[in-house]
Amino acid sequence: MQSDHNASPVNPLPPVVVALFLMMAGVELAFSLGARGIVGGPGAIGWRLEAIQTYAFSGDILDWMLATGQYPVRHLMRFVTYPFVHGSFSHAMFACVMLLALGKMVGEALGQMATLAIFVVSGIGGALAYGLALNDPVPLLGAFPSIYGLIGAFTYLLWLRLGQMGAQQIRAFSLIGILLGIQLVFGLFFGSGNDWLADVAGFAVGFASSVALVPGGLARLLDRVRRD
């Protein structure tokens, strides 16, 4: 048996995942360096706050748009910009790690455009759920609703695989169950906001999107529902 000595020891990440990671990490790097006075001068200390005010999603602004019927681009863009603005370095770092892990698995299974679509629509779905279901003045920021969308996609892929193996498909939901359990524990001990609702909505949108993106996925799901 011959081996390819020139092959990479690790499978490369899908380029779209690398691009998303670089955008998230680049924004956070600028905030962190600016806060330490390394770049940008004295005004850079407020970069994070300015970005939150300009690019984070706001439920109050959504209420204003629905009430007035006005939808300026500078506010609509918040649906797709808020995942790239985080509250702290650790917040962004954890999001980047999860993006690389889940983006690789979903990207290799569904392709780059499908992965990007799931990331974007899950973020939008999470923001809509946060803005419509709650009356919370705290802005929504960070990539976790979009990342939970990738978890939803991964869950659907695992659900299909377990079905093909004849195993219990409910096991596919163990990851989301563990993550929500961790969030609950942290919320009890350290306090938590309402952004968990955006995460759950992102997961649901990611799962549902995967049904349409996987070839034959919708027909397979309908067949399963009929048999149940």
Side-chain angles (χ1 to χ4, degrees), residues 125-127 129-130 133-134 136 139-141 144-145 148 176 179-184 187 191-204:
Y130 184 85
L134 302 174
D136 195 332
L140 177 66
L141 63 154
F144 283 97
Y148 269 73
I176 184 63
L179 290 174
L180 290 177
I182 292 173
Q183 278 192 326
L184 176 61
S192 177
N194 292 320
D195 53 355
W196 63 269
L197 178 62
D199 296 341
V200 173
F203 172 86

Side-chain angles (χ1 to χ4, degrees), residues 16-213:
V16 69
V17 176
V18 175
L20 291 171
F21 167 80
L22 290 176
M23 291 174 64
M24 290 168 53
V27 169
E28 182 55 38
L29 180 62
F31 290 162
S32 298
L33 293 178
R36 289 165 174 77
I38 299 175
V39 298
I45 296 176
W47 278 355
R48 190 187 301 275
L49 180 59
E50 292 175 7
I52 291 173
Q53 293 174 339
T54 305
Y55 299 109
F57 174 80
S58 169
D60 289 341
I61 290 178
L62 176 62
D63 291 341
W64 173 84
M65 288 193 292
L66 294 174
T68 63
Q70 301 180 50
Y71 302 92
V73 173
R74 71 178 187 276
H75 292 325
L76 289 177
M77 72 178 185
R78 293 172 183 267
F79 283 97
V80 293
T81 57
Y82 83 86
F84 300 97
V85 180
H86 294 83
S88 65
F89 176 80
S90 59
H91 187 203
M93 181 179 64
F94 191 34
C96 285
V97 171
M98 292 187 68
L99 170 66
L100 292 177
L102 291 158
K104 176 178 173 60
M105 291 185 289
V106 175
E108 291 177 347
L110 296 181
Q112 296 191 69
M113 290 301 99
T115 302
L116 179 61
I118 291 171
F119 184 91
V120 172
V121 299
S122 297
I124 294 173
L128 284 173
Y130 184 85
L132 295 175
L134 302 174
N135 188 26
D136 195 332
V138 177
L140 177 66
L141 63 154
F144 283 97
S146 295
I147 290 171
Y148 269 73
L150 296 177
I151 295 174
F154 173 75
T155 299
Y156 180 68
L157 294 170
L158 184 57
W159 184 81
L160 290 179
R161 178 160 189 160
L162 290 173
Q164 293 169 353
M165 296 169 56
Q168 291 184 340
Q169 290 178 290
I170 192 65
R171 290 165 47 196
F173 294 90
S174 59
L175 177 59
I176 184 63
I178 292 172
L179 290 174
L180 290 177
I182 292 173
Q183 278 192 326
L184 176 61
V185 172
F186 269 81
L188 291 174
F189 285 96
F190 304 106
S192 177
N194 292 320
D195 53 355
W196 63 269
L197 178 62
D199 296 341
V200 173
F203 172 86
V205 172
F207 188 95
S209 300
S210 300
V211 176
L213 292 170

